[in-house]
Amino acid sequence: MQKIGILGGGQLGRMLLQAAANYPVTTYVLENDAHSPAAHLCHYFTKGDIRNFDDVYNFGKDLDAITIEIENVNIEALEKLEQEGKVIFPKPAVLKIICNKAAQKNYYTEHKIPTSPYVLTHNIDDLAQQTEFLPAVHKLAEGGYDGKGVQVINDESDIAKGFDALSVLEKKVNIAKEIAMMIAVGVDGKIALYPAVEMVFDTSLNLLAFQLCPAEISKEVYYKAEAIALASVKNLNSPGIFAVEMFVTPDGDVLVNEMAPRVHNSGHHTIEAHYSSQFDMLWRIMLQYPLGSTDPIQSSLMQNIIGAEGYSGAAHYEGLEEMLKIENAFFHIYGKAETKPGRKMGHVTIVSNEKADLLHKANRIKHNLSVVSKK
Amino acid sequence: MQKIGILGGGQLGRMLLQAAANYPVTTYVLENDAHSPAAHLCHYFTKGDIRNFDDVYNFGKDLDAITIEIENVNIEALEKLEQEGKVIFPKPAVLKIICNKAAQKNYYTEHKIPTSPYVLTHNIDDLAQQTEFLPAVHKLAEGGYDGKGVQVINDESDIAKGFDALSVLEKKVNIAKEIAMMIAVGVDGKIALYPAVEMVFDTSLNLLAFQLCPAEISKEVYYKAEAIALASVKNLNSPGIFAVEMFVTPDGDVLVNEMAPRVHNSGHHTIEAHYSSQFDMLWRIMLQYPLGSTDPIQSSLMQNIIGAEGYSGAAHYEGLEEMLKIENAFFHIYGKAETKPGRKMGHVTIVSNEKADLLHKANRIKHNLSVVSKK
């Protein structure tokens, strides 16, 4: 059996390992936290730092292939492993582009992939010279994560809030919709696209409220998005699974926002709503099987289950029992012992070909399920 | 989080643990083989003999609840654990009935559940007195498994082949169809029934060829089967999940053949074809959540993937890659290192509302996928 390792042990690794149990494969996880969501589901767990060269190299050197469930890994170790003949999904060269926002923006420009206008700034003085480019968003090229390393710069008075290191200054664009597409690329170069999903935001909280599949966009926008997402992935020349997040402007233009070279939150609905899930698909790619079918079985809505504000500690899922009565809702609780405000603790996918049914049930779940800590 | 243990580490445990990762639960497995299909998917693995009193008792004494994936376990240890307040799915009293074919037959008679006519024999002399009851099938009350402990007694000349221990002599009945129903029973006594499935046999090999859901039976037979299956399970007075296998005679009578008080081969199709799978359902029962929906999403066909005759050794799945191109087929390879003739190595579920599509693809898979050993 092939030996395949995953860097990171979070919920993406957890769902990847649930899918792995359908295939003949021996699985390995490298992760610092032995109680992380994926730690117990692999054949062999290694405690270690995915950002440390030695930890990653030693983990990978006896495996056949390696993938990631988070980008923030030691790329140098993966490059050395690749030179030694290991197959890495995605290629380390892809991680170098994706993990650096400046490199990622330049990649889009180089390949004529539409993206919001930007300039690179190397320090605060650079930023100060860009007052005509404002309002804009300042994004640290490296090391930003989960909202950190991002700063809105509306006018001159905000410049002091900017970053004094290589950053991307991105022009604010008008956004009519945010959509995403998952794309699978086989080792043989074959490509399969999942239908686009639409992110619906809760504007009061500035949080993803839920995600609909398929996205409600015109055919014209759909084809444009498909072509742009394909170009974004094809030019990476790497097997793996990719999420391409895009903005649709009020004029119907499509701009790439960002990409992830791995299984992704915007593909969770594929577990129940599509013939081959994003997780199944990545195993097919890594085991060099044919790509799976990206066809939907039903339309779907995916909603994250997030730690409630004001609660930190041992997680308790208030209302879960009542919500489990909903017939066409599939709950995924990630088994994290501790909740924190905003922490992703699970998700639910509702399947139905009636949009009203999807929205009604998502709303019920939103108002009746909350992740709190026990008093 | 609740601590729930599984006795046995085979493919049923494997699929149970795949489903467990959707819920907040800490999982334990007791199994002699540390490389069995389920061993790596639990939080805590204990190497031990599920038929040994001490092994089962020590495994269970610090857990909240225990279930089985095979009946052949130490019932006395489970009884002691039950007395000490552990919840056992199913109750040990149920295992006592199910694990002894004489007790099982008497249970059906006691509760007026139709089953094929039988007499009990305690030794060969008893059997010799039953010539008027022949042709019949002689079944050892205890210890029979996978075809062992079963002997066809057509006439007097076969009597020497019978068992010299407590056995059931079952009259041969004419069978038009074999069907099965999965039934879920909550701790609160609530019951949910999955639609009946139909077993289609390969008469040349005397092996299950495949299984169709829903079964093609008349409404009258359906209601009869439902009532009989319900009575079979209800009188056990135990929470858990149950498979009831039944014969339909040419006259439309329904007779219970046997029961299993656990997740079962005849419920595998529920993973993809029903809203709540049999595995999801058992977790809901054990975690005292509401029962899931047994409604089908699509019709389905389930086919076991069996080790080919003439091959023993490291398993190789010849033709699997080609078969993975079939869009609506879901493969489950159990990850057993070694194949043997007739060994269950995996299964595939095909979903479609077109019966011709189900049959055509099942036939393709039957002829193009074989589990052999590497030369």
Side-chain angles (χ1 to χ4, degrees), chain B residues 31-290:
Chain B
E31 159 69 45
N32 246 333
D33 176 6
H35 297 287
S36 65
H40 69 286
L41 289 169
C42 57
H43 288 87
Y44 300 98
F45 176 79
T46 303
K47 195 170 149 55
D49 184 351
I50 57 175
R51 287 162 305 180
N52 177 282
F53 181 92
D54 290 335
D55 285 2
V56 172
Y57 178 74
N58 290 327
F59 172 73
K61 70 180 169 24
D62 299 319
L63 303 179
D64 298 308
I66 296 152
T67 194
I68 57 164
E69 60 116 54
I70 184 169
E71 289 89 350
N72 192 16
V73 297
N74 190 289
I75 302 178
E76 293 68 35
L78 290 179
E79 285 179 316
K80 187 168 158 72
L81 290 165
E82 188 180 46
Q83 283 157 18
E84 292 174 6
K86 310 300 179 192
V87 196
I88 321 289
F89 301 87
K91 289 186 179 173
V94 169
L95 288 173
K96 281 192 157 168
I97 295 169
I98 302 285
C99 292
N100 184 303
K101 286 195 171 68
Q104 199 179 140
K105 275 291 202 184
N106 288 342
Y107 166 80
Y108 299 135
T109 306
E110 186 188 335
H111 295 284
K112 302 191 172 53
I113 294 161
T115 187
S116 53
Y118 69 100
V119 289
L120 299 186
T121 62
H122 294 82
N123 47 50
I124 290 279
D125 289 346
D126 272 7
L127 178 62
Q129 284 163 33
Q130 299 295 339
T131 49
E132 284 183 18
F133 200 75
L134 305 180
V137 182
H138 207 210
K139 296 180 176 176
L140 205 51
E142 285 191 328
Y145 195 64
D146 258 357
K148 279 166 224 156
V150 174
Q151 191 63 57
V152 177
I153 312 287
N154 281 318
D155 53 38
E156 256 176 281
S157 71
D158 287 334
I159 283 179
K161 297 184 196 161
F163 304 107
D164 198 25
L166 180 62
S167 299
V168 176
L169 186 68
E170 227 175 73
K171 221 179 181 60
K172 268 198 178 176
V173 290
N174 283 326
I175 301 169
K177 288 215 168 179
E178 293 197 27
I179 62 172
M181 286 187 83
M182 298 295 311
I183 300 186
V185 183
V187 171
D188 57 4
K190 287 210 178 109
I191 291 185
L193 288 85
Y194 288 89
V197 299
E198 172 178 348
M199 276 75 170
V200 179
F201 287 85
D202 184 326
T203 44
S204 66
L205 296 173
N206 195 26
L207 261 182
L208 178 66
F210 56 80
Q211 175 195 290
L212 276 176
C213 181
E216 292 189 326
I217 46 181
S218 68
K219 255 193 188 163
E220 200 195 359
V221 169
Y222 204 103
Y223 291 142
K224 215 183 279 181
E226 203 167 74
I228 289 171
L230 252 180
S232 304
V233 168
K234 264 193 165 170
N235 287 295
L236 295 173
N237 295 311
S238 168
I241 193 150
F242 301 87
V244 184
E245 298 186 82
M246 291 166 280
F247 297 138
V248 183
T249 71
D251 298 336
D253 285 335
V254 176
L255 305 172
V256 173
N257 175 26
E258 58 178 17
M259 293 172 70
R262 53 163 171 82
V263 287
H264 192 263
N265 203 132
S266 48
H268 287 353
H269 64 291
T270 58
I271 298 175
E272 291 91 5
H274 292 251
Y275 283 101
S276 175
S277 76
Q278 62 168 342
F279 303 102
D280 178 69
M281 188 68 93
L282 183 54
W283 289 110
R284 286 172 175 258
I285 293 167
M286 295 194 290
L287 295 167
Q288 303 198 28
Y289 292 148

Side-chain angles (χ1 to χ4, degrees), chain A residues 1-126:
Chain A
M1 277 194 273
Q2 279 198 64
K3 300 174 178 179
I4 298 190
I6 304 169
L7 300 181
Q11 63 265 21
L12 293 164
R14 183 175 175 104
M15 291 182 270
L16 205 44
L17 289 166
Q18 278 179 291
N22 294 336
Y23 294 114
V25 57
T26 308
T27 56
Y28 297 74
V29 165
L30 178 68
E31 160 69 45
N32 245 334
D33 176 6
H35 298 287
S36 66
H40 69 287
L41 290 169
C42 57
H43 288 86
Y44 299 98
F45 176 78
T46 304
K47 195 170 149 58
D49 185 351
I50 56 175
R51 288 161 304 179
N52 177 281
F53 181 93
D54 291 334
D55 286 3
V56 172
Y57 178 73
N58 289 327
F59 172 73
K61 69 181 168 24
D62 299 318
L63 303 180
D64 298 308
I66 296 152
T67 192
I68 59 164
E69 60 117 52
I70 184 169
E71 289 87 350
N72 192 18
V73 297
N74 191 289
I75 302 177
E76 292 68 34
L78 290 179
E79 285 178 316
K80 187 168 158 69
L81 289 165
E82 188 180 46
Q83 283 156 19
E84 293 175 5
K86 310 298 178 195
V87 196
I88 322 287
F89 301 88
K91 289 185 178 174
V94 169
L95 288 173
K96 281 191 156 167
I97 295 168
I98 302 285
C99 293
N100 184 303
K101 287 196 169 68
Q104 198 179 141
K105 274 294 202 183
N106 288 343
Y107 166 80
Y108 299 134
T109 307
E110 186 188 334
H111 295 284
K112 302 191 171 53
I113 294 161
T115 186
S116 54
Y118 69 100
V119 289
L120 300 186
T121 64
H122 294 83
N123 48 49
I124 289 280
D125 288 348
D126 271 9

Side-chain angles (χ1 to χ4, degrees), chain A residues 280-325:
Chain A
D280 177 69
M281 188 68 94
L282 183 54
W283 288 111
R284 286 171 175 259
I285 293 166
M286 295 195 290
L287 294 167
Q288 303 199 29
Y289 292 149
L291 296 184
S293 165
T294 58
D295 283 355
I297 298 169
Q298 290 188 57
S299 294
S300 61
L301 183 153
M302 192 285 302
Q303 189 162 284
N304 288 320
I305 299 170
I306 299 282
E309 285 301 320
Y311 293 92
S312 291
H316 175 65
Y317 304 87
E318 216 168 79
L320 178 60
E321 287 188 34
E322 193 55 30
M323 293 302 99
L324 281 166
K325 291 180 185 164

Side-chain angles (χ1 to χ4, degrees), chain A residues 258-278:
Chain A
E258 58 179 18
M259 292 170 72
R262 54 165 170 80
V263 287
H264 191 264
N265 203 133
S266 47
H268 287 352
H269 65 292
T270 59
I271 297 176
E272 291 92 4
H274 292 251
Y275 284 101
S276 175
S277 76
Q278 63 169 342

Side-chain angles (χ1 to χ4, degrees), chain A residues 186-331:
Chain A
V187 171
D188 57 4
K190 289 212 176 108
I191 292 185
L193 288 85
Y194 287 91
V197 299
E198 172 177 348
M199 276 77 170
V200 179
F201 287 86
D202 183 328
T203 44
S204 66
L205 297 172
N206 195 27
L207 261 182
L208 177 66
F210 57 80
Q211 174 195 291
L212 276 176
C213 180
E216 292 189 325
I217 47 180
S218 68
K219 255 192 187 164
E220 199 194 1
V221 170
Y222 206 103
Y223 292 141
K224 216 183 277 182
E226 203 166 72
I228 288 171
L230 252 180
S232 304
V233 168
K234 265 194 166 169
N235 287 294
L236 294 173
N237 295 311
S238 168
I241 192 150
F242 301 87
V244 184
E245 297 186 83
M246 292 166 279
F247 297 139
V248 182
T249 71
D251 298 336
D253 285 335
V254 176
L255 305 171
V256 173
N257 176 26
E258 58 179 18
M259 292 170 72
R262 54 165 170 80
V263 287
H264 191 264
N265 203 133
S266 47
H268 287 352
H269 65 292
T270 59
I271 297 176
E272 291 92 4
H274 292 251
Y275 284 101
S276 175
S277 76
Q278 63 169 342
F279 303 103
D280 177 69
M281 188 68 94
L282 183 54
W283 288 111
R284 286 171 175 259
I285 293 166
M286 295 195 290
L287 294 167
Q288 303 199 29
Y289 292 149
L291 296 184
S293 165
T294 58
D295 283 355
I297 298 169
Q298 290 188 57
S299 294
S300 61
L301 183 153
M302 192 285 302
Q303 189 162 284
N304 288 320
I305 299 170
I306 299 282
E309 285 301 320
Y311 293 92
S312 291
H316 175 65
Y317 304 87
E318 216 168 79
L320 178 60
E321 287 188 34
E322 193 55 30
M323 293 302 99
L324 281 166
K325 291 180 185 164
I326 299 176
E327 297 217 334
N328 50 347
F330 296 87
F331 285 85

